[in-house]
Amino acid sequence: MSIATCVRHAELGDLVGLLNAQQAAKVDVVAPASALRASDGLLRLSGVEPVLDERGFTLVDGLYRPTAAADSHLGSKLKIPVGYLKWLREESRTDLYDANINGLLHGPDDPRLPGAGDERSFLLRLFTSGVVDEPGVLRAVLSDRYGIIDNLDVLTAVLEGIRAADADVSVRSCDLTESSMHCKVFSPKVRALAPSFLANYRTPFANPEIEAERRRAAGELDRWRPIAAREGHGYRPGSEPVVFAGFRFSNSEIGHHAVTLKPELVVQICGNGLTLPMFAYTKRHIGDRLEIGGVGGWSQDTYRKRLAVITAETRDKVAEWLSPDFLNARITELERHAANPVAHPERTIEVVSKKLGFTEDERSGILSHFIAGGQLTAAGIANAVTSYSQTVPDADRADILDDLALQAMSLV
């Protein structure tokens, strides 16, 4: 059984279905380092007790294929350069991969050599394959103090918070990567005009080549047809400088970041999302030490309380962020410098890219979107960043780009 781990620009129903499928295959165990051994680039678990949960007994001994994130965790835990492990995989040097991992987990084979085995225990987040002799997936190798908060539960808690706030919202897009979940929400009834921020702006996605890039990022050419119709992209480009109040939320099940909620301004014409990270709420994954064995039934009362906090914070943040007062205040701040002219686009974007750490491909892509947007101002730079991010296949990187758009505009 193959478990899908990534989806881009998905509908809410698609994301829920995928998360439910992952939940059925998900197993978490705390195991000593001695129970792990690398074998031909895979990780073998042995001597671990079966996990008992609501599904019954699940055998966890067997082979698991590490994700890139799990390799990164192993490298960090064992002080092996992550780039080196990645290179060994790319070059199919699984013999060296095994030797490095096993040598540091278990110590040298020759008892005359110095060094001892690793005495720590790790939380292992797994997907079982459900098929005999087919490897499962090793998703993460984490501290035994990691506080588990799963994507499906975060999604449920946030949606419950939205309902508690009695907010009229739509989930406009969802993304799932090996490391994170991202969902974007907006209120079609909380809107305002941003004439300076959107002056002379036209959607870059009117350009067939740029629209094709966004479709490719979704992985399905037909996925964007209903989404475009739902978001109202059919009107004449540039005719309405409307901005909606919105927010996005994210979670990582494997330690890459905390549960995060942050407001954003959503541009009607192209679906650009300008995030406001300075207002973000975060809840970190920190818990008590977990005992060795399955953790399917661990501290459920504590877990429910964590989710209740997320629901309550969502309710409060939705009431604050999806209000006309908050939206108008942010647009007033935004418009203050939005009209600053950009006389030399290539040079300006080159300087901004260096300061914000954009790659050469990102710099080139942002320039293309800036030209296609036709807005030769500081606001045009921000809009180019947030429209380009929609074409980036990696949703985690796209989220980072949206966080940097406001900085890019201020640098102009």
Side-chain angles (χ1 to χ4, degrees), residues 19 27 43 56 64 70 80 99 113 120 134 144 152-153 159 164 218 247 265 287 294 297 323-324 329 332 358 375:
L19 292 179
V27 176
L43 269 294
Y64 293 86
I80 304 172
L113 296 176
R120 291 174 293 175
E134 181 176 322
D144 58 5
L152 188 59
D153 292 328
L159 293 179
F247 74 98
L265 308 179
S323 69
T332 298
F358 297 156
Q375 191 182 27

Side-chain angles (χ1 to χ4, degrees), residues 150-170:
D150 283 335
N151 288 334
L152 188 59
D153 292 328
V154 169
L155 179 62
T156 302
V158 171
L159 293 179
E160 180 59 34
I162 292 171
R163 283 191 290 271
D166 196 24
D168 180 12
V169 303
S170 295

Side-chain angles (χ1 to χ4, degrees), residues 164-409:
D166 196 24
D168 180 12
V169 303
S170 295
V171 179
R172 65 189 186 94
S173 182
C174 303
D175 300 307
L176 186 67
T177 72
E178 284 187 350
S179 62
S180 304
M181 172 187 71
H182 304 270
C183 294
K184 303 171 187 176
V185 177
F186 81 106
S187 175
K189 292 185 177 179
V190 184
R191 60 169 69 191
L193 297 179
S196 295
F197 184 68
L198 295 174
N200 302 315
Y201 183 61
R202 57 178 182 263
T203 173
F205 301 110
N207 181 316
E209 292 184 3
I210 290 179
E211 171 64 4
E213 290 175 2
R214 179 162 68 169
R215 292 178 178 180
R216 279 193 293 271
E220 298 179 23
L221 291 178
D222 290 335
R223 180 181 294 278
W224 272 97
R225 292 173 184 166
I227 293 177
R230 186 186 68 230
E231 293 184 355
H233 293 168
Y235 56 78
R236 182 172 59 84
S239 63
E240 295 179 275
V242 173
V243 173
F244 298 110
F247 74 98
R248 63 178 64 181
F249 58 95
S250 59
N251 180 54
S252 175
E253 294 186 335
I254 62 169
H256 280 221
H257 60 73
V259 178
T260 302
L261 291 84
K262 54 193 171 188
E264 70 172 348
L265 308 179
V266 182
V267 178
Q268 177 175 261
I269 190 172
C270 54
N272 292 356
L274 183 73
T275 59
L276 306 170
M278 67 287 292
F279 294 98
Y281 159 81
T282 61
K283 183 169 182 58
R284 302 197 177 279
H285 293 254
I286 300 174
D288 298 325
R289 186 179 298 279
L290 299 168
E291 298 297 326
I292 288 177
V295 296
W298 68 279
S299 304
Q300 287 302 302
D301 183 57
T302 299
Y303 191 58
R304 284 191 294 270
K305 288 177 180 178
R306 288 177 181 169
L307 295 175
V309 169
I310 294 170
T311 296
E313 287 289 348
T314 300
R315 179 198 61 216
D316 295 344
K317 294 304 181 185
V318 166
E320 176 188 355
W321 295 340
L322 302 189
S323 69
D325 288 345
F326 184 86
L327 177 62
N328 289 327
R330 302 293 79 76
I331 289 179
T332 298
E333 295 168 356
L334 202 62
E335 297 243 298
R336 192 170 294 131
H337 304 293
N340 288 346
V342 175
H344 306 286
E346 286 197 51
R347 176 60 181 159
T348 299
I349 291 176
E350 181 181 356
V351 172
V352 168
S353 296
K354 287 181 179 178
K355 287 184 177 293
L356 297 181
F358 297 156
T359 67
E360 182 59 28
D361 285 345
E362 290 169 350
R363 182 202 64 78
S364 176
I366 291 167
L367 177 60
S368 296
H369 281 246
F370 180 80
I371 294 169
Q375 191 182 27
L376 304 180
T377 62
I381 299 290
N383 281 317
V385 173
T386 53
S387 63
Y388 170 73
S389 73
Q390 297 179 57
T391 70
V392 176
D394 183 350
D396 295 326
R397 181 57 184 169
D399 190 67
I400 292 171
L401 291 172
D402 288 341
D403 279 353
L404 293 173
L406 201 56
Q407 289 187 52
M409 187 178 86

